[in-house]
Amino acid sequence: MRASDRAYAILLDEIQSGVLAPGAVLAEVEQSTRLGVSRTPLREALSRLTTDGLAVQQSPRVTVVSDVDTSDIRELFELRRALEETAARLAAERGDASAFAELARAFGQATLTHGDDLDAYYSLIAQFDAQLDAAVVNDYLTSALRNVRTHLVRVRRLARDNPDRLAASVAEHRLIASAIAARDADLAAHATHVHLHNALSSILTALDSPTGGSPAASPSTQGAA
């Protein structure tokens, strides 16, 4: 792995996990020393983060982690809705019906009682996303979806753990997968719309609560959206 790719991967993970909070200064000298890379590959990594919208260059020599507020979240979900509803429609038309039927069965059997169950659920969501990307057969669309998912990791971390929302998310994903397997493009798109509406409402409600948006929020929120 190139030094710039390694630096980017580490900084990306730290921004998504909240180790590097919004507003944190990404000083070249400090970060290059900490990450064990020279300043040239670090600049490349910072440039990629800026392009991704995860960092902002405040001046020629000062780069900081970008902020995330409710306006950003609403805008992100506007884009997510357009992309994911389209992807669901295309998957219903082009995807492997048996693969989505199997995913629907897996969501139907998913439980969220223990920590291991949550890990398995996250893995199932990743499988669903990968199958969706493969089904649409559109590199431009999947590239845009990957960018949105990069930002979603930060957004989900801001929301509090909500067992009821997690359980609802499982059922919503099952319906989407079932609709795709049944080649019902309208239902797949509508179920995706409902899922995203509920996910956004849950996140905004959590942020409005007294303890919402805490950096210490449980990682189990990753499955809530």
Side-chain angles (χ1 to χ4, degrees):
M1 179 184 291
R2 297 190 309 157
S4 61
D5 292 336
R6 181 167 60 84
Y8 172 82
I10 293 172
L11 291 171
L12 173 63
D13 179 70
E14 291 177 343
I15 291 172
Q16 289 179 325
S17 66
V19 172
L20 290 172
V25 177
L26 303 173
E28 285 188 10
V29 174
E30 176 187 339
Q31 295 299 332
S32 62
T33 300
R34 183 176 72 89
L35 300 176
V37 299
S38 65
R39 294 176 70 175
T40 296
L42 179 70
R43 289 191 189 109
E44 292 178 8
L46 293 179
S47 178
R48 287 179 63 187
L49 291 170
T50 301
T51 300
D52 290 344
L54 296 170
V56 177
Q57 192 165 4
Q58 290 188 335
S59 72
R61 295 190 177 184
V62 179
T63 302
V64 302
V65 177
S66 61
D67 196 9
V68 180
D69 58 24
T70 56
S71 177
D72 295 320
I73 294 170
R74 290 183 186 278
E75 290 176 3
L76 178 64
F77 268 77
E78 286 178 359
L79 176 59
R80 187 185 180 194
R81 184 179 299 115
L83 294 174
E84 293 196 10
E85 288 183 28
T86 298
R89 283 187 177 278
L90 292 176
E93 297 169 359
R94 306 172 179 174
D96 182 343
S98 62
F100 282 100
E102 181 58 35
L103 283 167
R105 283 191 290 272
F107 280 118
Q109 296 169 358
T111 58
L112 299 170
T113 306
H114 306 292
D116 290 345
D117 294 334
L118 292 173
D119 290 339
Y121 176 56
Y122 303 153
S123 177
L124 187 56
I125 291 292
Q127 292 175 46
F128 176 83
D129 287 343
Q131 193 64 47
L132 193 69
D133 289 350
V136 299
V137 196
N138 185 320
D139 291 340
Y140 296 104
L141 180 56
T142 54
S143 177
L145 281 169
R146 281 194 296 271
N147 181 262
V148 167
R149 290 168 189 154
T150 297
H151 289 275
L152 279 173
V153 176
R154 298 181 75 196
V155 172
R156 288 163 176 161
R157 185 185 55 79
L158 293 173
R160 295 182 303 168
D161 185 12
N162 186 332
D164 290 340
R165 175 61 207 140
L166 286 166
S169 180
V170 173
E172 289 161 8
H173 276 95
R174 181 186 182 186
L175 179 56
I176 296 168
S178 296
I180 293 174
R183 303 290 190 198
D184 190 333
D186 288 339
L187 178 57
H190 179 69
T192 300
H193 180 92
V194 171
H195 167 64
L196 296 181
H197 171 80
N198 292 340
L200 176 59
S201 296
S202 177
I203 289 171
L204 294 180
T205 298
L207 291 178
D208 286 340
S209 69
T211 58
S214 169
S218 168
S220 63
T221 55
Q222 292 178 8

